[in-house]
Amino acid sequence: FAEVEPKWQKYWEENQTFKTPTRDTSKPKKYVLDMFPYPSGAGLHVGHPEGYTASDVMARYWRMTGHDVLHPIGWDSFGLPAEQFAVQTGAQPADTTKKNIATFKR
């Protein structure tokens, strides 16, 4: 890992592999929405990977066919998992969610 990762990080940076394209509002628009990962409750849950894979494939397809694509990602932070965890442990949902988001970003 220590040998491979720097090589690819350099390549991705030099080739701007993951650069977000500048918006062209003259193109037809597409909105591709994922189920947001929810970092609440007792840990992290991102749902089922095939859902993210499918939406990523579609977003890439639409970009490659000339569309202006909005493919957001965010957090579904306060829902039933956070509430249930609070009931079971007495922990404040805001605190556990912030901690889990930090863990998710590592």
Side-chain angles (χ1 to χ4, degrees):
F1 180 80
E3 295 173 18
V4 173
E5 185 70 14
K7 170 190 171 185
W8 288 107
Q9 289 288 339
K10 182 179 179 208
Y11 175 86
W12 295 331
E13 181 67 30
E14 289 172 355
N15 292 280
Q16 298 184 343
T17 304
F18 300 105
K19 184 179 189 308
T20 302
T22 303
R23 288 199 63 202
D24 181 350
T25 56
S26 68
K27 294 180 177 181
K29 294 178 175 59
K30 287 288 180 188
Y31 181 61
V32 182
L33 182 62
D34 282 312
M35 175 184 79
F36 293 152
Y38 42 98
S40 54
L44 305 173
H45 188 280
V46 295
H48 302 285
E50 63 269 13
Y52 295 100
T53 303
S55 60
D56 187 59
V57 167
M58 292 309 302
R60 289 170 187 259
Y61 168 79
W62 290 119
R63 275 194 194 101
M64 292 170 62
T65 58
H67 291 77
D68 179 28
V69 177
L70 176 61
H71 184 205
I73 189 69
W75 309 108
D76 182 5
S77 297
F78 296 103
L80 188 56
E83 293 171 12
Q84 189 59 36
F85 188 73
V87 168
Q88 292 172 340
T89 66
Q92 289 296 317
D95 297 334
T96 57
T97 298
K98 285 178 189 173
K99 179 182 171 197
N100 288 336
I101 288 172
T103 299
F104 196 90
K105 288 181 173 181
R106 280 192 302 178

